[in-house]
Amino acid sequence: MKPLHRANALQTFASLRASQSPKLPLNDVHHFIDARIIKTGFNPQTCRFNFRVNGFLQRGELSHARQLFDQMPQKNTISTNMMISGYVKSGNLSYARELFDAMVERTAVTWTILIGGYSQSNQFREAFKLFAAMCRWGTEPDYITFATLLSGCSDSETANEVVQVHAHIVKLGFDSTLMVCNSLVDAYCKTRCLDLACQLFQEMPERDCVTLNAMITGFSRDGMNEDAIKLFMHMQRFGFKPSEFTFAAVLCAGIGLDDIVFGQQIHSFVVKTNFVWNVFVGNALLDFYSKHSRVLEARKFFDEMLELDGVSYNVIISGYAWDGQFKESLDLFRELQYTRFDRRQFPLATLLSIAANTLDLEMGRQIHSQAIVSTADSEVLVGNSLVDVYAKCGRFEEAKKIFANLAHKSTVPWTAMISGYVQKGLHEESLNLFNEMRRTNVSADQATFASILRASANLASLSLGKQLHSFVIRSGFMSNVFSGSALVDMYAKCGSLKDALQSFKEMPERNPVSWNALISAYAQNGDGVGTLMSFEQMVQSGFQPDSVSFLSVLTACSHCGHIDKALQYFNSMTQVYKLVPKKEHYASLVDVLCRSGRFDEAEKLMVQMPFEPDEIMWSSVLNSCRIHKNQELAKKAADQLFSMEELRDAAPYVNMSNIYAAVGQWDNVGKVKKAMRDRGVKKVPAYSWVEIKHKNHVFSANDKSHPQMGDIMRKIDMLAKQMEKEGYKPDTSCALHNVGEEIKAESLKYHSERLAIAYALISTPEGSPILVMKNLRACTDCHAAIKVISRIVAREITVRDSSRFHHFRDGFCSCGDYW
């Protein structure tokens, strides 16, 4: 050691001890310090290296710090602690853990640094495992260790671990330390253990503003917003001065109360206490206005804020996104990119949600690239949002890869994957994933149930739906309005209107979503009276009908032939409820008019509406022309459809071919089929399915593949004889083939829905109801035949085709033969 450096070190130690020790002669001081250096193992060279390593870390030069660290001839615990801390701060936990595992000596500081790293990255279980290992190692945690560990609790799944940590706190005597108690109260609140938080709050020998803030936030997070505000009032009476965290917590409670006036009062109080210039409080106010859909007020306040940070931009960008103003969100994000705020804190999750909702895969990929560059892809919210965007865009391989690499798989990414499968019609896959989710002991929430019930509805599996219903009850989500609405929708789509109505009646709370589910349930099942009655009840209950409500009403009017009612409700959208009709509302009204044969009015509406008629509208016209035998307009509609660049399927060609076939114009039939072949459009094959003993049995016309086909054919032949006695005569115009009448009549017997019904009759107890699903519209002959069959077998037969539900009973259909 050079004399000068040694002298400096001695002088430093001398001055350090001077205030604590009696004055000693200089020689004695030197001897004393030499003895202390030997005793403590102090190495001045290591100290200098540590100082330089720390300098690199302070400047964010992690690679230079590591390079110097590796060159150190001797390292001490402080050296390694500094490097571990540097890796933790940069989010590189794997390197931090590697250094940690290689250490022979570890202090409480060492353990606490790494525990903090896992806590900050929302890996609480890893942090807790490390804490348990620390106790086994024999290192006693201090109050900072406990506060650091508890800061990572963020969801109810970690409640048991928090209770165990509490036991350690009591055992080591830290239960009277205010900082530890505050962390514990906050952890209990975050893990939804509010009872334990309240109990601890009452037992605490000392409380401060931090304690009260944690409780106010806890009450707010648990939906107990009035309690949060009462505690805020008590806080003022007892003389506790509010901090920026207090205002943030109480504004959060105001959001839960949906009380804009209360928020404005708090805004005034913020101004009075001179906190309005505090950026943290300003952000809370921004959030309050944004979540009350007061985006204009939020933007005005944003523009007036003297200080902005990344959070300010995040809140206003998210506010525009929630309000559906995606362009404004993207414009502000571009502005944010020119700031110097931390890119890891950019609202990438919000931008990804916009990409997911708009199915903009390219935008999703660009945001993904930014997330990788800024290392924000390791953030829980960003990771979950990446899974969501790829799943919704149908890129399941990429979604699964990101999902597999998530450090913490909560309910959110599981639900995103399930929802993505459901949206793309992959219902079996969604059910398999739901079962896998249950096997890994991840709890489902209301969003999970809404998605999986939708899958059950689309599969029309009533037995599966009932199993899920019982699972919703066991999981405690029956009181949740979204789960209840999903159940109403599921039962309605499975043809069980009775169960749908019962689910609606049992809902303790209702909102516009649940009323829309009820209105849609009636509409899908062809009950026009029930649809209109439930619509009026919704209005009387104080809820404003929206575009979804009106679409269901117009659909019901179309199914029931309520032309004047449809026109009345359509006009009320703009005149009474100030809603702008969308393309689908015009399409429904066109369908209403065409079904009733009022083609002139339909054409006039299509000319006057603010949209170009699309495939759905012209298909509706063409289908009604087939029913009303309006060949001239059918030709016009077909020409419009055939000239479109893209068609969903071959339905227009098939319909036009059927129109020609019905009047025996077989040459024109051939021309249409040739045009279809030339364009490469293929006809979707008709098939029906029925669920027997939790298994779907699928049939197509003249299908002979079913293992019980012999029994099915015998049942059909037996029914045919009974139907003939009942006066049924086959409508051979529905057999659109250029063959003899007998062959046509024979082919009608083996349409897919009749095969499914015959199989259900031989496979289920007498008198039990039958539910058959069909992917296309049933023909008029099958409709007439099933009416007769329902009378012969004395059963209720429900058939859901592509247009609606038909409930057959005692020789009658719920549609009244208007379909």
Side-chain angles (χ1 to χ4, degrees), residues 125-144:
R125 283 215 161 85
E126 281 300 317
F128 181 77
K129 284 179 188 173
L130 203 60
F131 171 76
M134 177 184 185
C135 296
R136 288 194 301 272
W137 186 276
T139 306
E140 189 170 293
D142 58 18
Y143 70 97
I144 295 173

Side-chain angles (χ1 to χ4, degrees), residues 422-584:
V422 173
Q423 286 186 21
K424 295 299 178 184
L426 302 168
H427 307 304
E428 295 283 355
E429 287 84 348
S430 71
L431 290 168
N432 292 336
L433 195 61
F434 176 68
N435 288 330
E436 187 181 335
M437 175 183 173
R438 289 178 62 194
R439 283 194 296 272
T440 55
N441 295 317
V442 177
S443 302
D445 62 11
Q446 62 268 31
T448 320
F449 285 121
S451 290
I452 208 66
L453 283 166
R454 187 176 158 202
S456 173
N458 290 327
L459 287 169
S461 177
L462 187 58
S463 63
L464 173 62
K466 288 185 174 179
Q467 288 177 43
L468 290 170
H469 188 168
S470 66
F471 193 52
V472 171
I473 294 169
R474 291 198 306 275
S475 302
F477 281 103
M478 270 309 294
S479 60
N480 181 274
V481 70
F482 294 102
S483 297
S485 302
L487 280 168
V488 172
D489 184 59
M490 181 274 294
Y491 279 122
K493 285 178 177 170
C494 289
S496 183
L497 186 57
K498 179 183 173 184
D499 287 320
L501 297 179
Q502 186 62 33
S503 296
F504 182 82
K505 286 175 185 174
E506 290 172 357
M507 290 176 70
E509 182 189 346
R510 293 165 190 158
N511 67 1
V513 175
S514 44
W515 278 104
N516 283 343
L518 179 68
I519 295 166
S520 175
Y522 276 118
Q524 287 176 70
N525 284 273
D527 189 339
V529 174
T531 304
L532 301 183
M533 181 181 69
S534 55
F535 179 90
E536 296 304 330
Q537 286 174 342
M538 176 184 183
V539 175
Q540 289 163 15
S541 299
F543 293 105
Q544 177 89 350
D546 57 18
S547 60
V548 176
S549 319
F550 280 101
L551 190 58
S552 293
V553 166
L554 292 171
T555 301
C557 290
S558 177
H559 287 161
C560 301
H562 297 329
I563 302 99
D564 293 333
K565 284 279 186 187
L567 290 166
Q568 176 191 326
Y569 278 102
F570 183 84
N571 291 329
S572 74
M573 283 185 73
T574 51
Q575 294 170 9
V576 179
Y577 297 102
K578 311 304 178 190
L579 294 170
V580 179
K582 298 178 182 176
K583 188 180 283 190
E584 50 263 38

Side-chain angles (χ1 to χ4, degrees), residues 19 100 255 275 306 342 360 402 421 469 532 539 557 572 580 585 641 645 669 677 750 793:
S19 60
F100 176 87
I255 292 169
F275 271 99
L306 291 182
D342 183 3
D360 190 337
I402 295 166
Y421 279 128
H469 188 168
L532 301 183
V539 175
C557 290
S572 74
V580 179
H585 297 102
L641 288 161
E645 284 186 21
V669 170
R677 285 194 302 273
Y750 305 113
V793 300

